[in-house]
Amino acid sequence: MTQAAQISPTTTTISRPMPLKRRLRAVTRKVRELASIGSALASTGHPYMAHIVPMRRCNLACTYCNEFDDVSDPVPLDEMLRRIDDLGRLGTSVITISGGEPLLHPELDQIIARIRKTGAIAGMITNGYLLMPDRIKRLNAAGLDHMQISIDNVMPDAVSKKSLKVLDAKLRMLAEHADFHVNINSVVGGGIANPDDARVVSERALGLGFSSTIGIIHDGSGQLKPLGERERGVWDQVRNLTRRSYSRFNHFQEAIANGKTNDWRCRAGGRYLYICELGLVHYCSQQRGYPGVPLSGYMTADVKREFLTEKSCAPNCTISCVHQVSYIDHWRAPQKTFTTPGASHGTAGAEQLVQIR
């Protein structure tokens, strides 16, 4: 029996009708999302999405990941609440908690509740290991809107422990108890041993009533890494399965899969912000150091400046969240200035940055 056959996507599929409470929350969430997009179309002077890190430490150590350590303490709650309020001050529409592993933060529920208090949509990216029914219910109560879990393979291996074998029970808990939207992201490339695992993961996610996306694992600087023939075949299969989900906005990956560059306007630093555990603003998780300034001093003028700044890393970029956010403004505002992330610079505060390689 193959590894893929050991976990069938039809096993224990949740097919019961969605509870009324969950349906109402889904409708309300969709209205808020449409309003946020309308606001973004009306004005370019505020961030659409921010990723914020309350915890750099992770309980796993996937070999392709450069966004974690195993020693960091959680950011104190008071400081996290100030940072959330600063994102609210800037008018941020979507605030997503990432890491590290955010579920390790002891006051995560209060952080999520503060995001909702600003009026923003609250999201989280987690490896899912720490989910239990009571924890899921606490996330419901805190007001979480979206959760994403990346599952890299069917069986754990030396590259990644984020496997369907380990996490399938957690997915069933989410299908049973979560009132928030759940997306399961599978991956190809980057040393994943069996590309077909991505198809098995996606089928299982869809069978449980979740949305599903597929990504191409980038190199250590978030840059293009084209797919081999076998990987490309699986990638096409999964995209055909998920065309009705928001993966349809990942069309930029077509060029990446073919080893080509993308011609686009990266709005990182403007529409998209990455806030590290030190409270500094960066373009994204892979370009930490730019602009590398404290969020507490980040102003609307900074957002507008970076909105109009072309980034040299953009043509080969594979960071899907930045592509998706920037797509809102692909049709307007040609960029007037230019910067090269990774070059020598003297940005204030960058010398304090923890660079993870």
Side-chain angles (χ1 to χ4, degrees):
M1 182 180 293
T2 65
Q3 289 181 350
Q6 293 177 28
I7 301 179
S8 168
T10 60
T11 301
T12 322
T13 297
I14 305 297
S15 57
R16 64 179 61 87
M18 184 183 294
L20 177 60
K21 178 184 175 183
R22 193 178 298 181
R23 292 202 303 268
L24 291 174
R25 284 192 64 164
V27 170
T28 301
R29 182 171 61 242
K30 181 61 67 175
V31 170
R32 292 167 53 225
E33 290 169 352
L34 291 173
S36 73
I37 294 172
S39 175
L41 291 171
S43 170
T44 62
H46 65 276
Y48 182 75
M49 176 184 289
H51 276 132
I52 188 165
V53 177
M55 189 84 185
R56 181 64 67 183
R57 183 159 53 92
C58 187
N59 52 328
L60 301 180
C62 302
T63 60
Y64 61 82
C65 181
N66 65 354
E67 299 180 42
F68 75 98
D69 65 30
D70 59 1
V71 297
S72 295
D73 293 327
V75 178
L77 178 61
D78 288 349
E79 182 58 36
M80 279 301 303
L81 297 183
R82 280 192 289 271
R83 294 174 189 176
I84 297 298
D85 289 346
D86 278 325
L87 290 173
R89 167 180 56 80
L90 290 170
T92 310
S93 300
V94 180
I95 302 176
T96 297
I97 302 164
S98 62
E101 175 45 55
L103 285 171
L104 289 172
H105 197 290
E107 288 113 2
L108 182 64
D109 297 349
Q110 292 167 263
I111 295 170
I112 293 169
R114 190 61 155 248
I115 292 173
R116 290 298 306 274
K117 188 176 180 179
T118 69
I121 296 164
M124 180 170 66
I125 300 171
T126 173
N127 61 41
Y129 266 61
L130 301 178
L131 291 170
M132 294 296 289
D134 63 331
R135 191 72 189 85
I136 295 168
K137 292 174 183 177
R138 284 169 51 195
L139 294 171
N140 289 339
L144 186 68
D145 291 303
H146 293 279
M147 174 182 286
Q148 176 164 299
I149 301 176
S150 288
I151 300 181
D152 299 334
N153 45 37
V154 171
M155 303 293 288
D157 58 25
V159 173
S160 174
K161 308 302 180 188
K162 295 188 296 184
S163 67
L164 186 57
K165 180 180 187 299
V166 174
L167 290 169
D168 194 66
K170 306 297 184 180
L171 300 187
R172 284 184 272 120
M173 292 175 192
L174 286 166
E176 178 75 20
H177 300 290
D179 291 336
F180 43 84
H181 169 259
V182 177
N183 182 70
I184 306 301
N185 188 65
S186 58
V187 292
V188 288
I192 298 300
N194 184 9
D196 194 58
D197 284 1
R199 178 190 56 79
V200 177
V201 169
S202 183
E203 288 177 344
R204 179 60 171 151
L206 295 171
L208 287 168
F210 306 142
S211 65
S212 178
T213 51
I214 185 168
I216 301 171
I217 294 182
H218 49 70
D219 67 13
S221 60
Q223 295 290 284
L224 178 151
K225 199 173 185 69
L227 298 180
E229 182 178 352
R230 186 180 173 205
E231 295 169 324
R232 174 58 192 258
V234 171
W235 184 67
D236 284 335
Q237 289 177 33
V238 174
R239 286 199 308 157
N240 286 331
L241 286 172
T242 61
R243 287 197 185 279
R244 300 178 84 179
S245 77
Y246 64 83
S247 63
R248 64 185 177 274
F249 295 113
N250 286 346
H251 59 277
F252 71 92
Q253 290 186 337
E254 182 73 33
I256 295 168
N258 294 325
K260 298 178 181 178
T261 59
N262 279 291
D263 183 12
W264 63 296
R265 295 168 182 164
C266 173
R267 306 295 185 176
R271 289 303 214 178
Y272 174 89
L273 307 179
Y274 179 88
I275 316 302
C276 73
E277 70 276 25
L278 299 179
L280 303 179
V281 179
H282 311 283
Y283 285 159
C284 67
S285 64
Q286 303 305 308
Q287 298 298 348
R288 299 196 290 278
Y290 287 81
V293 298
L295 175 62
S296 58
Y298 212 67
M299 301 298 172
T300 299
D302 299 302
V303 170
K304 292 181 177 180
R305 180 192 67 245
E306 296 297 343
F307 180 87
L308 295 173
T309 299
E310 182 181 0
K311 288 82 178 177
S312 65
C313 50
N316 295 307
C317 175
T318 71
I319 310 301
S320 61
C321 49
V322 185
H323 275 270
Q324 290 167 349
V325 169
S326 298
Y327 186 76
I328 296 171
D329 303 295
H330 74 285
W331 52 278
R332 63 181 171 191
Q335 293 171 320
K336 302 175 182 178
T337 58
F338 186 84
T339 189
T340 304
S344 177
H345 63 93
T347 304
E351 67 277 1
Q352 305 173 30
L353 189 62
V354 178
Q355 292 283 1
I356 302 172
R357 300 297 183 196

